Amino acid sequence: MMRSEAPSMAVTNEPGSTTTQAGDQAKLARRILEAPTSATVRIADLVKTLQAQGVDVVDFSAGRAVEDTPENICRAAADAMMAGDTHQTMAQGKPEYRAACATKLRRENGIEADPETEIIATFGCKNGLALAVLTTIDPGDEVIIEDPAFVSYAPTIRFFGGVPVPVPLESEDGHRWREEALRAAMTDRTRAILFCSPHNPTGVVHSPEDLDVIVRVARDHDLYVISDEIYERTPWDGRKHTSIATRPGMEGRSITLMGLTKTASMGGWRIGFVYAPPPVISAMVTLQQHLATCASSFIQVGAAVAFGEEPGPVLTDTWREWEERCQFMCLEVDMLPGVSCTPPDGGFYAWADIRGTGETSEALAERLLRDHHVAVVPGSAFGTRGEGFLRITCVRSWDELREGIRRMKEALS
Ligand code: PMP
């Protein structure tokens, strides 16, 4: 196996590890000096650098599938661009795109949304998240997040002066919310609960009963609920995704984040939308006018096809195969010495319990990358409850899955 000289193989997620020259750091704002880099994006970038140097890395780190965006979606965007659709759109997004989002919500989520007042186009789900946080919290306000949680939640909340309050999801509870723990985290500064289902990284899909734990607490404390549903088109094994917005008691308080990055392999397009009550959308439009102007014009045309049309066989067959790859990968990972892993309820990650190996998640992830050229994400990047786990992306090619497993066996035997 080829060894690389640089860059560093460190997979840790240390605050202050920005790429800025050391000499310049004193001039930077504290919010960025104190921020961790995104472990997932950083490791994925490191993999690209290594691959460019000729190192044969099997990449299970980034949350992206091996498939490209379906052709009909690309064609719609390319045609729009060639036809001159290259100018700014309304800050809220094109009416046609918002109409397609409303069609999707009705068809797949049982939600009747008014595209005029309840939907805004965003450049990816992360932009929707930023708008949701900026719209709902003042400096010093608290936002409940899960532990473990998607790596960008806590930094995003902090960037805007908020305080992320992690509530543990214990593996013994199947990584589900415990109502007492959620209630115990409430203070007079709590403004919102931010969560994700299907869950990144644990793969849990919350049932309506699980969601009602959040609904009860949000109603009792008059909170917004920010629901990140980026993996919602991929619940497995006959499960159904439920949008918390459809649960009784959520009227006027749910902010739903949707995107195409994961389920339509559109991570490079940077497109999604938010569905929320009219006052929230109106506030987001003001923010978007200043922060970004709008989501990209011809990208919205392609995304209107991706959301507006019923998913065709190219996508549905791909999703079916992703489920098979998740099953395969988790069974294989489960057989590694000291490791246990059950297939996810939804989404496309294996959440591998490595506590039997005696190594920390960072040490093992670093060793896998350095010595065996397999990239995974250490669970510690997702919160304190992530320690003892690795996140492994399962939607790579069959050849990559087999080769990655072979290398992991070599590393752990
Ligand atoms: N939320 C979750 C839970 C994610 O896993 C990701 C991508 N890793 C995002 C949001 C970001 O989505 P986007 O690429 O649409 O900004």
Side-chain angles (χ1 to χ4, degrees):
M1 230 175 258
M2 186 169 161
R3 267 194 98 81
S4 65
E5 301 299 318
S8 151
M9 297 278 187
V11 294
T12 51
N13 198 27
E14 282 161 17
S17 49
T18 59
T19 52
T20 319
Q21 297 290 311
D24 295 340
Q25 289 216 350
K27 295 185 207 143
L28 295 178
R30 241 196 349 256
R31 78 169 65 80
I32 190 62
L33 289 176
E34 289 171 0
T37 53
S38 160
T40 48
V41 175
R42 189 164 32 79
I43 296 169
D45 284 356
L46 174 58
V47 168
K48 285 194 195 90
T49 308
L50 290 170
Q51 285 170 336
Q53 292 168 353
V55 183
D56 168 27
V57 182
V58 178
D59 184 13
F60 298 140
S61 67
R64 51 164 290 213
V66 70
E67 283 77 15
D68 293 327
T69 306
E71 204 179 312
N72 63 322
I73 300 172
C74 296
R75 195 164 303 284
D79 288 350
M81 179 167 56
M82 295 312 288
D85 193 347
T86 55
H87 305 280
Q88 297 93 322
T89 73
M90 295 169 72
Q92 195 178 343
K94 280 174 175 279
E96 303 88 311
Y97 175 57
R98 285 184 272 126
C101 298
T103 303
K104 177 255 180 291
L105 287 173
R106 184 179 316 115
R107 185 182 61 230
E108 298 175 26
N109 306 97
I111 292 173
E112 283 299 330
D114 178 354
E116 291 289 313
T117 59
E118 295 181 312
I119 290 175
I120 182 171
T122 59
F123 51 94
C125 208
K126 282 182 182 171
N127 173 224
L129 172 67
L131 294 179
V133 173
L134 275 168
T135 309
T136 55
I137 66 155
D138 282 314
D141 285 345
E142 296 174 3
V143 180
I144 303 290
I145 60 170
E146 301 157 306
D147 180 5
F150 173 48
V151 295
S152 292
Y153 291 163
T156 302
I157 294 163
R158 285 199 198 97
F159 285 154
F160 303 130
V163 180
V165 178
V167 171
L169 305 181
E170 307 288 357
S171 48
E172 303 79 70
D173 299 333
H175 299 108
R176 291 189 152 70
W177 289 94
R178 208 183 264 183
E179 188 159 344
E180 315 83 84
L182 188 51
R183 288 195 184 276
M186 294 293 128
T187 73
D188 58 2
R189 295 308 300 264
T190 312
R191 292 288 174 273
I193 301 172
L194 164 59
F195 81 107
C196 175
S197 176
H199 191 252
N200 172 12
T202 67
V204 168
V205 171
H206 287 309
S207 67
E209 295 71 34
D210 294 335
L211 296 175
D212 284 345
V213 170
I214 300 174
V215 176
R216 281 194 293 277
V217 177
R219 203 188 40 208
D220 291 353
H221 292 266
D222 195 20
L223 307 177
Y224 281 109
V225 175
I226 305 169
S227 174
D228 181 345
E229 303 185 18
I230 193 161
Y231 298 93
E232 48 103 31
R233 282 170 143 180
T234 53
W236 307 135
D237 201 19
R239 289 181 182 81
K240 295 259 180 295
H241 169 75
T242 304
S243 283
I244 195 165
T246 62
R247 301 304 296 160
M250 286 304 290
E251 300 77 16
R253 65 174 82 258
S254 70
I255 300 176
T256 306
L257 314 181
M258 296 264 182
L260 290 162
T261 291
K262 307 295 171 180
T263 56
S265 294
M266 290 173 67
W269 293 59
R270 313 309 308 138
I271 187 73
F273 71 90
V274 176
Y275 160 65
V280 173
I281 293 295
S282 162
M284 288 181 172
V285 171
T286 305
L287 286 166
Q288 199 75 316
Q289 287 169 352
H290 293 295
L291 292 177
T293 304
C294 60
S296 309
S297 55
F298 49 89
I299 296 293
Q300 292 184 51
V301 177
V305 172
F307 276 135
E309 294 181 3
E310 191 148 357
V314 172
L315 281 179
T316 53
D317 290 353
T318 300
W319 295 338
R320 233 188 323 273
E321 186 163 319
W322 286 356
E323 181 171 7
E324 280 174 39
R325 288 185 228 167
C326 287
Q327 294 276 344
F328 167 81
M329 201 56 182
C330 291
L331 279 175
E332 292 288 331
V333 168
D334 191 54
M335 287 192 284
L336 296 171
V339 183
S340 67
C341 187
T342 47
D345 297 347
F348 46 51
Y349 305 111
W351 185 238
D353 184 339
I354 58 152
R355 286 175 288 187
T357 64
E359 285 182 88
T360 65
S361 62
E362 276 170 14
L364 181 52
E366 198 160 323
R367 193 164 70 77
L368 282 170
L369 184 55
R370 189 188 56 233
D371 299 338
H372 302 273
H373 298 155
V374 179
V376 298
V377 184
S380 58
F382 301 91
T384 53
R385 290 301 191 288
E387 184 44 50
F389 292 81
L390 293 181
R391 196 196 74 174
I392 302 168
T393 300
C394 301
V395 288
R396 307 304 301 167
S397 72
W398 286 104
D399 283 349
E400 284 172 285
L401 298 188
R402 288 190 197 96
E403 176 59 14
I405 286 291
R406 191 191 67 71
R407 294 185 193 184
M408 285 194 266
K409 271 188 194 145
E410 195 177 82
L412 286 162
S413 56

